[in-house]
């Protein structure tokens, strides 16, 4: 646990009592604060009260009397589409609002660091797609080469749940826009933007607000190194804003699919090969194609980001390459589930938006595509140009009929349930085909989260294959 500093002897309110909120409350108490808390759910309040956390309705008059700060859990809206009433009450009372990410950055460094030979570092990863894979890959490389490391944030442990730093340690944080948007302190040593595509637009008041939330990691934090995906205009803009000149190697530009020219520090992947260029000269080259845990161009972009991060730590290219070879991949992210009679089965349940699903569709050929769920704003127009590898779509979810109607030029069967979609897709698959779950939608119409959806897919696949013998 990271005891929260700066609030000793003060009263701090916590809003939201899920895993993150309860961990925040404990870390505040460990730092000497008195904690009061609220959750809109009676279940959350009861669970927290059972752990000894004092419950107070933060929406009633006078709730913030004597309160020094309000700490808000990531899932709770603080501005768009409308602020939570407890957040609005904190504004009216003049109480500063923060989140656990802000508390982490203000509390992680301690006086103990003065005795370390190598100062600990924090690598923070954000972006629309690829955050988890990039974070996990960095952590895997560091672990493989023997560098002490912890993985936290949106993946692994909560940021305040991790252990205090040891000499030379690197903490890798996956940070969503929900987390970067509100944190008052954002001071990573290395910050990464993988890419940007429309997502969570209602939460951020549109694409501009969404990008602004991501940009805060760089603009507020002032990292020593910024690694920026420049395949979209927002990334090109950010890299330009952070650079004082093309040769400014504090900014590392990364790309999947285009060669990056110029005198700066560039890492890009083309046709399955990762290249590092510095001052206009190539200094390293890695063949990514044999790495089973990183299939497709979208994962090659993740590899570029992870490679660049590890290079900022002084790790040699060949050492990074060797570590990448053993990367197993993440569950629900281009995860190979089975291979039978020349048919591969891939679980990419994390493809919860059109852009991430499009990237998955580009990674494979002869696709039996299981898709559908709760559609996000913008519809499916952006995925239509990427359907040329789809032999047939098998549509699930409450909106299956509407989803299928939008798939112009593709044979689409309305299956509704996962079990039916898997059974039909596997029955119709031929040698050389890939049965791919890449929903392009949120899961909440049928499942609690994308993990549950992915687990249901795996179970359905295993049941079919077991019955086939």
């Amino acid at each position: 646990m990271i005891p929260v500093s700066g609030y000793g002897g003060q009263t701090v309110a916590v809003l939201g009592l899920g895993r993150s909120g309860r961990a925040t409350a404990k870390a505040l108490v460990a730092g000497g604060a008195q904690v009061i808390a609220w959750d809109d759910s009676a279940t959350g309040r009861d669970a927290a009260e059972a752990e000894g956390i004092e419950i107070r309705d933060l929406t009633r008059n006078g709730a913030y009397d004597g309160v020094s700060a309000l700490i808000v859990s990531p899932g709770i809206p603080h501005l768009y589409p409308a602020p939570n009433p407890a957040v609005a009450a904190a504004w009216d009372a003049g109480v500063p609002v923060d989140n656990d990410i802000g508390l982490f950055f203000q509390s992680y460094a301690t006086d103990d660091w003065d005795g370390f030979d190598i100062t600990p570092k924090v690598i923070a990863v954000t972006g629309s797609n690829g955050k988890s894979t990039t974070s996990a890959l960095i952590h895997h490389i560091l672990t493989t080469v023997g560098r002490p490391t912890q993985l936290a944030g949106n993946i692994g442990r909560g940021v305040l749940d991790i252990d205090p730093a040891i000499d030379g340690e690197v903490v890798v944080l996956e940070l969503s826009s929900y987390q970067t948007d509100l944190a008052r302190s954002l001071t990573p040593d290395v910050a990464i933007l993988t890419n940007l595509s429309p997502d969570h637009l209602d939460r951020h008041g549109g694409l501009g607000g969404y990008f602004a939330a991501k940009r805060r990691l760089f603009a507020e934090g002032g990292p020593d190194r910024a690694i920026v995906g420049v395949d979209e205009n927002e990334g090109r803009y950010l890299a330009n804003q952070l650079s004082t000149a093309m040769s400014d190697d504090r900014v590392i530009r990364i790309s999947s699919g285009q060669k990056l020219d110029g005198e700066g520090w560039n890492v890009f992947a083309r046709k399955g090969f990762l290249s590092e260029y510095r001052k206009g000269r190539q200094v390293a080259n890695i063949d990514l194609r044999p790495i089973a845990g990183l299939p497709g161009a979208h994962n090659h972009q993740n590899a570029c980001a992870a490679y660049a991060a590890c290079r900022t730590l002084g790790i040699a290219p060949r050492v990074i390459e060797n570590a990448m070879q053993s990367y197993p991949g993440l569950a629900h992210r281009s995860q190979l589930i089975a291979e039978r009679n020349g048919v591969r089965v891939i679980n990419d349940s994390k493809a919860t938006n059109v852009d991430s699903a499009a990237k998955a569709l580009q990674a494979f050929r002869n696709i039996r595509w299981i898709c559908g769920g709760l559609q996000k704003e913008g519809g499916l127009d952006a995925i239509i140009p990427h359907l040329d590898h789809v032999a047939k779509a098998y549509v699930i979810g409450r909106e299956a009929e509407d989803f299928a109607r939008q798939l112009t030029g593709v044979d689409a069967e309305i299956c509704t349930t996962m079990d039916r979609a898997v059974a039909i897709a596997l029955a119709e698959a031929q040698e050389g085909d890939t049965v791919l779950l890449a929903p392009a939608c949120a899961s909440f119409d049928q499942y609690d989260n994308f993990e549950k959806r992915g687990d249901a897919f795996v179970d359905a696949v295993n049941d079919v294959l077991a019955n086939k013998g």
Side-chain angles (χ1 to χ4, degrees), residues 280-338:
R281 295 185 177 182
Q282 185 174 6
V283 297
N285 183 268
I286 296 174
D287 186 354
L288 299 172
R289 295 172 300 174
I291 302 178
L294 295 169
H298 60 305
N299 275 311
H300 293 174
Q301 182 184 60
N302 301 332
C304 289
Y307 174 92
C310 292
R311 290 290 285 136
T312 70
L313 300 176
I315 303 175
R318 288 295 165 248
V319 174
I320 297 173
E321 179 181 9
N322 290 338
M324 282 183 172
Q325 299 292 340
S326 60
Y327 177 66
L330 284 176
H332 314 299
R333 298 163 178 86
S334 297
Q335 177 190 17
L336 178 63
I337 298 302

Side-chain angles (χ1 to χ4, degrees), residues 253-265:
R253 292 167 173 82
I254 63 169
S255 172
S256 176
Q258 61 174 317
K259 181 179 180 180
L260 299 179
D261 297 312
E263 293 298 312
W265 194 347

Side-chain angles (χ1 to χ4, degrees), residues 6-7 37 128 165 168 178 181 197 210 218 239 255 260 287 341 358 403 421 436 439 460-461 465 469:
Y7 292 106
S128 297
Y178 292 5
D181 196 20
S197 61
Y210 177 54
F218 302 83
S255 172
L260 299 179
D287 186 354
N341 299 326
F403 191 104
L436 170 67
V461 169
L465 294 182

Side-chain angles (χ1 to χ4, degrees), residues 223-268:
D224 295 332
R225 301 280 188 185
I227 298 167
V228 181
V230 294
D231 290 332
E232 298 86 31
N233 284 335
E234 290 85 358
R236 294 168 61 207
Y237 166 83
L238 179 61
N240 182 271
Q241 287 279 297
L242 297 172
S243 303
T244 58
M246 179 58 78
S247 59
D248 186 352
D249 67 1
R250 294 174 302 170
V251 178
I252 307 175
R253 292 167 173 82
I254 63 169
S255 172
S256 176
Q258 61 174 317
K259 181 179 180 180
L260 299 179
D261 297 312
E263 293 298 312
W265 194 347
N266 300 309
V267 178
F268 59 88

